Amino acid sequence: MGGVLHCESVPLPEIARRFGTPCYVYSAAALDEAWREFRAALAGRDALVCYAVKANSNLAILARFARLGAGFDIVSGGELARVQASGGDCSRVVFSGVGKSEGELRQALETGILCFNVESAAELSRIERVAEAARRPAPIALRVNPDVDPLTHPYISTGLRTNKFGVPIEEAAELYLHASRSPHLRVIGIACHIGSQLLDPAPMLEASGKVLDFVLRLERDGIRLEHIDLGGGLGIRYREETPPPIAEFLAPVAALFAQRPERLLFEPGRRLVGNAGVLLTRVEYLKPGAKRSFAVVDAAMNDLVRPALYDAWHDIAAVAPRPGPAAVYDIVGPVCESGDFLGTARTLALAEGDLLAVMSAGAYGMSMSSNYNTRPRPAEVLVEGGAVRLVRRRETLADLLGPEQAPDETGISEP
Ligand SMILES: *Cc1c(COP(=O)(O)O)cnc(C)c1O
């Protein structure tokens, strides 16, 4: 097809022409395929896959997973509102996060979510108070911290004793006892999430073993659970990683719990959306140099912060590769920070105006974007076969300036 990159059957240059750049482009087929792989790995087992909304919270993506029967893992009242707006089933929502506000707890309780994944003793007492006031018992699981090294980047590991997440497993027993005696709490589960971009199934299995031991102990104390939530974190390929198939993570875990009646929950984010999206960007300027050459593109760290934040690698491909000599470029954005790069030392043949695709940008791309440098955020489109749907229009300057007000000349506002 003329050597031009496509998303499904749509040439990327056509998307750039219609919607401009920078632009996030998602493939519906890739989303569906990742979902099917999860379901297939759990076939025959009572299990609920709760998509981690923070990975990509676009309403069209949530609606797609909702239609496929997904639950959702949320970390804020805002994400709960998104699940509702997308037609998601709130009775399949688990609420994670270390800092749930009283308002968020009330909102989620009234909405009738499946479960609060409680991250501390202090949060447990707050939930108890909110539930008492609302006269509605709150369904809870404790998120335990199994102290397992996920063997991933330190910024995205969450299950070590040194992380802020979860309750140490040895403190959890007492909290479970307390919760089980409270008329305002319904103890229904246990949760655990050890980190992100896992490439080895062993740590997840090791954590699951610790969770199983603990579930048996709770049972001896007379506490029975309805579900066991083993979190997300399954890794994807960004560069040369070879992430095992989803079944290699989930099948051993399911086997471990084969004799248990509890429903199994998982909370994948990245694995469902990461490889389903690219960030489409255009070369604004080439800036050759003696030491280093730069390709300045129209996407920046505000649009995709992972390289700047985690030193993450994304492949960057020319949308219409051109013949001629390649050079080594740092691919940088217009933002005034030295950390504003999408990739360093990439060998490409480029000219001004060329389109580039930043690959594997479907997870933690748009959802982590900002307006830094007063840059309107990109458009998002969802491709299905030959059809392209705009699922978030490009922001305008009016969107950015709207909420603000400059004081009048005296700086004193009228009462
Ligand atoms: C972020 C997060 C997830 C999803 O992580 P992925 O690496 O995107 O799969 C799941 N559960 C919790 C509690 C999280 O914080």
Side-chain angles (χ1 to χ4, degrees):
M1 293 198 199
V4 168
L5 288 184
H6 286 56
C7 179
E8 300 200 17
S9 55
V10 181
L12 290 181
E14 185 186 315
I15 292 177
R17 211 157 34 240
R18 277 182 65 191
F19 302 99
T21 54
C23 178
Y24 276 100
V25 183
Y26 309 121
S27 156
L31 298 172
D32 293 359
E33 179 52 33
W35 175 261
R36 271 196 299 276
E37 204 184 330
F38 266 97
R39 290 314 317 179
L42 294 166
R45 167 85 211 191
D46 181 18
L48 179 63
V49 177
C50 295
Y51 167 60
V53 172
K54 71 177 190 285
N56 186 326
S57 49
N58 184 283
L59 293 179
I61 286 179
L62 300 185
R64 195 160 192 98
F65 287 134
R67 276 199 303 278
L68 291 167
F72 296 93
D73 171 43
I74 60 164
V75 292
S76 72
E79 288 189 350
L80 179 55
R82 284 185 175 276
V83 170
Q84 288 178 289
S86 71
D89 180 351
C90 291
S91 72
R92 295 178 170 204
V93 166
V94 297
F95 193 168
S96 307
V98 294
K100 305 175 191 81
S101 72
E102 202 166 306
E104 287 175 319
L105 293 173
R106 222 178 295 119
Q107 176 197 358
L109 190 62
E110 281 162 12
T111 309
I113 65 165
L114 173 63
C115 192
F116 293 91
N117 288 349
V118 178
E119 305 235 12
S120 64
E123 184 191 334
L124 191 67
S125 2
R126 188 182 283 184
I127 292 184
E128 203 175 354
R129 263 189 291 113
V130 168
E132 180 176 9
R135 300 190 186 168
R136 183 166 177 164
I140 63 123
L142 287 181
R143 173 168 176 190
V144 296
N145 183 330
D147 197 27
V148 165
D149 188 344
L151 311 173
T152 181
H153 190 288
Y155 281 17
I156 50 180
S157 76
T158 58
L160 280 170
R161 212 181 291 267
T162 47
N163 296 127
K164 69 178 176 181
F165 298 100
V167 179
I169 227 162
E170 57 275 16
E171 290 167 32
E174 203 176 320
L175 291 177
Y176 267 107
L177 278 179
H178 168 79
S180 68
R181 291 187 193 120
S182 166
H184 309 299
L185 300 173
R186 278 200 304 121
V187 174
I188 66 162
I190 186 166
C192 162
H193 169 76
I194 58 171
S196 205
Q197 186 57 9
L198 310 177
L199 294 167
D200 179 348
M204 183 183 244
L205 187 60
E206 185 188 345
S208 300
K210 293 191 175 186
V211 169
L212 175 59
D213 289 345
F214 189 71
V215 167
L216 294 171
R217 172 170 169 195
L218 287 178
E219 197 168 50
R220 286 195 295 276
D221 290 340
I223 297 173
R224 280 174 192 280
L225 306 177
E226 293 170 24
H227 72 245
I228 298 170
D229 179 346
L230 297 158
L234 285 75
I236 63 169
R237 183 188 179 99
Y238 284 104
R239 192 178 186 180
E240 280 144 356
E241 306 92 335
T242 46
I246 290 169
E248 280 182 35
F249 283 92
L250 303 197
V253 172
L256 183 70
F257 291 98
Q259 304 307 317
R260 298 299 313 175
E262 295 87 357
R263 162 181 262 200
L264 295 184
L265 267 57
F266 293 91
E267 305 171 344
R270 189 189 314 269
R271 188 66 179 248
L272 282 170
V273 294
N275 288 141
V278 302
L279 174 59
L280 191 56
T281 181
R282 196 180 286 282
V283 176
E284 293 275 16
Y285 300 101
L286 293 180
K287 207 175 158 183
K291 284 239 159 74
R292 235 171 226 217
S293 296
F294 298 96
V296 184
V297 299
D298 62 4
M301 65 184 289
N302 72 292
D303 305 303
L304 179 66
V305 76
R306 296 187 68 259
L309 187 61
Y310 308 120
D311 205 17
W313 172 282
H314 288 265
D315 273 337
I316 299 177
V319 166
R322 57 172 65 246
V328 178
Y329 294 100
D330 283 2
I331 313 294
V332 301
V335 163
C336 300
E337 297 279 347
S338 298
D340 179 27
F341 64 92
L342 300 176
T344 54
R346 305 305 172 91
T347 305
L348 292 158
L350 291 179
E352 203 174 295
D354 281 4
L355 288 170
L356 296 175
V358 184
M359 312 301 279
S360 304
Y364 305 104
M366 187 63 172
S367 64
M368 290 182 98
S369 65
S370 76
N371 293 120
Y372 187 40
N373 279 211
T374 307
R375 288 170 49 84
R377 279 178 293 182
E380 292 177 286
V381 303
L382 179 62
V383 177
E384 187 165 9
V388 185
R389 252 186 329 127
L390 181 66
V391 293
R392 192 178 203 269
R393 66 162 172 78
R394 182 177 308 286
E395 284 178 343
T396 63
L397 290 175
D399 292 331
L400 271 58
L401 271 46
E404 297 177 33
Q405 241 171 317
D408 62 23
E409 276 158 44
T410 61
I412 301 162
S413 51
E414 299 294 321

